[in-house]
Amino acid sequence: MVLPQFEYLAPTTIGEACNLLLELGSSAKVMAGATDLIPPMRDKAFTAEYLIDIKKIPGLDYLEYDEKEGLKIGALTTLRTIETSPLVKEKNPATAHAAKVIASTQIRAKGTMAGNICNASPSCDSGPNLLAQGAKILVQGPNKDRVIAIEDFFLGVKKTSLEPGEIVTGIVIPPLAENEAAAYIKHAVRKAMDLAIIGVAVKIKVENGICTDAKIALGAVATTPIRAPKAEEALIGKELTDDVIIKASEEAMNSCNPISDIRASAEYRKDMIRVFTKRAIKQAMESL
């Protein structure tokens, strides 16, 4: 199928890209890997008069680790780079895994984590992991730079808190301490090329055998990735026994109200949240 007509723009600075986006407004879309843009344009799910390609802007393809700030991922860093990076596997294996389970190898070779969250699909695999780990989103606009906490980034289906002219330039994931661990598990019909039926991300902190902090985030069960605070509370202050983990998993299940669609019923999704929350907690515990 032939793509609809559009004008291709390739700015060489982030400032130029922001100004173009501000000037052209809703008629323009920013593209990095374009894996979330070209297929729906081809299928006429939406149209864009202008595509602003940021790949020619230098300095946005970094992947670094800072002991104080954590893992730093540039807007042009591909999912495949994140997935295969020895640095990411060592410092934050849950993030490497969250990248690995997105689509196919070919798509991950082009697609980016920044693009994955900017697409703001309820089933995006990056969202729950970043939410559980308290990531910060680096943003540049026509007049200022700012940092958006991940919990404030998603506003709804295909909606983010980016303001007119703003572009995501990077993602920062805080470092995991020695007594902290994280995990992300996706459940889908197929291992590749399929959207998540549900996704569960967990981050726990255990001191002297007691869980002192917990974050649990769920994907594909609401219009945005969501936290499960009652499930978190069920873990905090307790030894992570099977009974405690089962209670937290049930609280996670009760915290969401998913829809039924072509991939799964609402009832099935809720039950899988229970199953995979338990698995994700135990997987995180194995990393401590």
Side-chain angles (χ1 to χ4, degrees):
M1 189 177 292
V2 178
L3 285 171
Q5 278 196 325
F6 62 88
E7 187 170 345
Y8 173 81
L9 304 171
T12 56
T13 68
I14 192 68
E16 182 186 356
C18 291
N19 288 330
L20 280 171
L21 187 58
L22 181 64
E23 177 186 345
L24 298 172
S26 60
S27 66
K29 295 287 184 182
V30 174
M31 61 176 275
T35 57
D36 284 322
L37 282 178
I38 298 302
M41 286 182 66
R42 179 197 59 206
D43 297 338
K44 298 184 179 178
F46 80 90
T47 59
E49 295 178 45
Y50 303 91
L51 288 186
I52 302 173
D53 189 347
I54 62 172
K55 285 196 293 293
K56 292 187 178 180
I57 299 174
L60 294 180
D61 60 349
Y62 57 86
L63 184 59
E64 306 165 353
Y65 186 82
D66 180 273
E67 293 296 336
K68 291 184 178 180
E69 296 185 66
L71 187 63
K72 301 179 179 181
I73 302 170
L76 291 178
T77 304
T78 67
L79 292 162
R80 182 66 174 163
T81 298
I82 298 167
E83 167 197 354
T84 59
S85 166
L87 178 67
V88 182
K89 289 179 180 180
E90 176 192 355
K91 299 296 186 180
N92 202 308
T95 297
H97 181 71
K100 181 179 181 178
V101 297
I102 296 174
S104 66
T105 303
Q106 294 91 331
I107 287 176
R108 294 195 299 274
K110 296 288 289 181
T112 65
M113 188 166 285
N116 190 240
I117 62 170
C118 286
N119 187 46
S121 167
S123 59
C124 78
D125 289 295
S126 299
N129 177 61
L130 296 178
L131 184 57
Q133 297 205 47
K136 305 294 183 184
I137 312 304
L138 308 182
V139 173
Q140 186 164 328
N143 302 312
K144 64 177 181 179
D145 301 349
R146 66 182 180 124
V147 178
I148 304 175
I150 188 64
E151 55 264 30
D152 299 324
F153 186 76
F154 298 106
L155 298 183
V157 179
K158 305 291 184 178
K159 295 180 181 179
T160 72
S161 56
L162 291 174
E163 296 176 356
E166 287 189 330
I167 294 173
V168 170
T169 58
I171 298 168
V172 179
I173 306 174
L176 293 167
E178 287 187 8
N179 56 356
E180 290 181 323
Y184 174 69
I185 302 181
K186 170 184 180 175
H187 176 46
V189 174
R190 298 175 294 175
K191 290 185 178 180
M193 292 302 294
D194 210 352
L195 297 176
I197 291 175
I198 59 99
V200 179
V202 169
K203 178 183 175 183
I204 55 173
K205 183 176 184 178
V206 177
E207 298 176 283
N208 299 318
I210 301 299
C211 178
T212 57
D213 193 22
K215 301 289 187 297
I216 298 175
L218 314 175
V221 293
T223 56
T224 68
I226 60 170
R227 290 268 297 277
K230 289 188 177 180
E232 297 167 356
E233 291 168 8
L235 298 177
I236 296 172
K238 301 178 180 69
E239 182 182 354
L240 297 181
T241 63
D242 283 346
D243 288 344
V244 168
I245 294 170
I246 289 170
K247 174 63 174 176
S249 302
E250 291 171 348
E251 291 288 1
M253 175 183 69
N254 294 330
S255 71
C256 61
N257 291 290
I259 62 169
S260 296
D261 61 16
I262 194 171
R263 294 196 303 282
S265 67
E267 293 78 13
Y268 180 76
R269 280 193 164 96
K270 285 177 73 72
D271 196 43
M272 289 302 100
I273 286 293
R274 178 185 60 82
V275 171
F276 283 88
T277 298
K278 179 180 177 180
R279 291 182 186 178
I281 294 169
K282 289 196 169 186
Q283 186 172 308
M285 290 171 63
E286 290 171 1
S287 302
L288 289 169

